[in-house]
Amino acid sequence: MAQLITTLGSKEAGELGMILPHEHVFVDLRTWDQSGYAQAEAADVIELMEPEIALAQAAGVTAIVECSPVGVGRRADILKAVSEATGFPLVVPTGIYREPWVPAWAHTASKEVLREWMICELEGEIEDSGVQAGWIKLSAGDDGLTDSETKVLRAAAAAGAATNAVIGSHTIRGRVVREQLDIVEAAGYAAEHFIWIHTQAEPDFTLHLEIARRGAWIEYDGIGSEEETDEDYLRLILRVLDAGLGDRMMLSHDRGWYDPAQPGGGTPRPFTYIGEQFLPRLRAAGVDEATVHQLTCTNPFRAFAR
């Protein structure tokens, strides 16, 4: 039986409700060579983020997929501390972000070394933290994959094929997603195990449908942001549902988070907008309760469970 691998152990579908598939609890968007990069005390992160997680729980959220891989300050030890302090499960990734955040060791590592590293984190633990990686997170440049990003993707596809872990990629352009899916499939893995993160950033809606029809997940994950309105997201979601592709779509905020580059970790944005404000608007637009459940509970579990 498929299970979601979290900081609090494996969870079955019956133990969970709403899952947010793209959020952050701790992230550092500076490059790895900056002074103080990814440095913070767990107690400080807990103090800032515990109230936000409590509000999310009150809004019906039962788990969050944390989307900070190597390159943007992944700290599995801190995530575990936050999770244990709140009693709230987080799903933590293996994988490496895009240029210029790719660390020096990953530039020199072979595809085989990267594959084995990912498998070790997916089957064992991340950096002696006691946290097992639940999925693979990576990224691609807006103009196409660099050599390093291609190597990381090929390693991820091989690691995914060995562990059944889903691969999620921060990719802005749909044509780059096409290239990524070609690489994933050539490596012997399937498009069904790939998530196009930030699909909403691609203005050509036909590419959204193309990628979903190919079998990959499309993720509208900036809900509640200033860049797009609720009406923008409602229009996208309804068009995907009308195309019969609701079983390949997920929704999230891309919110949080404790940022060690900011004084006191900065000011987090709550994980509650979808549950408290957006879903009522989705229902008012005519989306039935079964479909709401599919989009917020069933689909993210299916995507990430293994």
Side-chain angles (χ1 to χ4, degrees), residues 224-238:
S225 69
E226 297 176 355
E227 287 75 19
E228 295 90 9
T229 67
D230 283 359
E231 288 70 25
D232 293 328
Y233 282 104
L234 287 170
R235 184 162 49 250
L236 290 172
I237 292 164
L238 293 174

Side-chain angles (χ1 to χ4, degrees), residues 112-131:
E112 291 71 23
V113 167
L114 292 172
R115 171 188 176 274
E116 290 305 311
W117 165 70
M118 292 183 200
I119 290 174
C120 285
E121 294 198 336
L122 289 162
E123 293 184 340
E125 62 180 322
I126 298 170
E127 299 167 348
D128 298 319
S129 65
V131 175

Side-chain angles (χ1 to χ4, degrees), residues 13-298:
E15 300 176 76
L16 299 166
M18 185 190 301
I19 301 168
L20 295 177
H22 192 99
E23 310 295 340
H24 298 274
V25 172
F26 182 93
V27 63
D28 192 337
L29 295 174
R30 298 174 293 181
T31 52
W32 54 270
D33 55 350
Q34 298 293 309
S35 176
Y37 171 76
Q39 297 302 304
E41 295 296 326
D44 294 335
V45 182
I46 291 169
E47 182 179 4
L48 185 68
M49 297 307 298
E50 186 172 23
E52 302 302 330
I53 290 175
L55 290 171
Q57 289 174 300
V61 180
T62 62
I64 281 175
V65 178
E66 223 287 345
C67 292
S68 305
V70 168
V72 288
R74 183 186 67 165
R75 286 290 303 270
D77 57 333
I78 287 178
L79 297 177
K80 182 181 181 183
V82 172
S83 185
E84 290 177 343
T86 58
F88 186 81
L90 302 171
V91 184
V92 183
T94 188
I96 301 169
Y97 205 56
R98 63 183 172 90
E99 306 281 13
W101 292 272
V102 178
W105 69 266
H107 276 293
T108 59
S110 67
K111 183 193 79 171
E112 291 71 23
V113 167
L114 292 172
R115 171 188 176 274
E116 290 305 311
W117 165 70
M118 292 183 200
I119 290 174
C120 285
E121 294 198 336
L122 289 162
E123 293 184 340
E125 62 180 322
I126 298 170
E127 299 167 348
D128 298 319
S129 65
V131 175
Q132 182 180 358
W135 66 298
I136 304 169
K137 167 71 184 295
L138 40 79
S139 183
D142 295 351
D143 297 322
L145 292 159
T146 67
D147 289 344
S148 288
E149 291 162 1
T150 299
K151 178 178 66 175
V152 170
L153 177 59
R154 287 179 175 148
T163 62
N164 204 38
V166 74
I167 301 166
S169 179
H170 169 125
T171 310
I172 300 303
R173 299 275 77 91
R175 59 180 174 75
V176 181
V177 178
R178 279 190 193 135
E179 181 182 355
Q180 290 180 294
L181 290 179
D182 288 344
I183 291 170
V184 167
E185 291 175 338
Y189 211 28
E192 287 81 0
H193 297 284
F194 187 92
I195 303 167
W196 178 8
I197 294 169
H198 307 322
T199 306
Q200 73 277 357
E202 170 55 66
D204 184 352
F205 180 73
T206 63
L207 288 172
H208 301 201
L209 297 183
E210 175 189 322
I211 298 303
R213 286 178 176 136
R214 191 164 171 177
W217 294 96
I218 57 174
E219 187 178 270
Y220 298 135
D221 48 35
I223 296 173
S225 69
E226 297 176 355
E227 287 75 19
E228 295 90 9
T229 67
D230 283 359
E231 288 70 25
D232 293 328
Y233 282 104
L234 287 170
R235 184 162 49 250
L236 290 172
I237 292 164
L238 293 174
R239 291 178 72 184
V240 173
L241 293 175
D242 286 344
L245 293 166
D247 62 343
R248 305 309 303 169
M249 176 169 48
M250 293 186 287
L251 313 176
S252 209
H253 304 99
D254 192 10
R255 283 187 171 192
W257 56 75
Y258 187 102
D259 180 355
Q262 303 300 320
T267 303
R269 298 186 68 200
F271 305 118
T272 56
Y273 188 87
I274 289 175
E276 293 180 346
Q277 300 190 52
F278 188 75
L279 292 185
R281 292 172 183 165
L282 194 60
R283 295 181 180 103
V287 177
D288 61 39
E289 203 58 41
T291 303
V292 170
H293 186 272
Q294 178 185 46
L295 297 178
T296 60
C297 305
T298 305

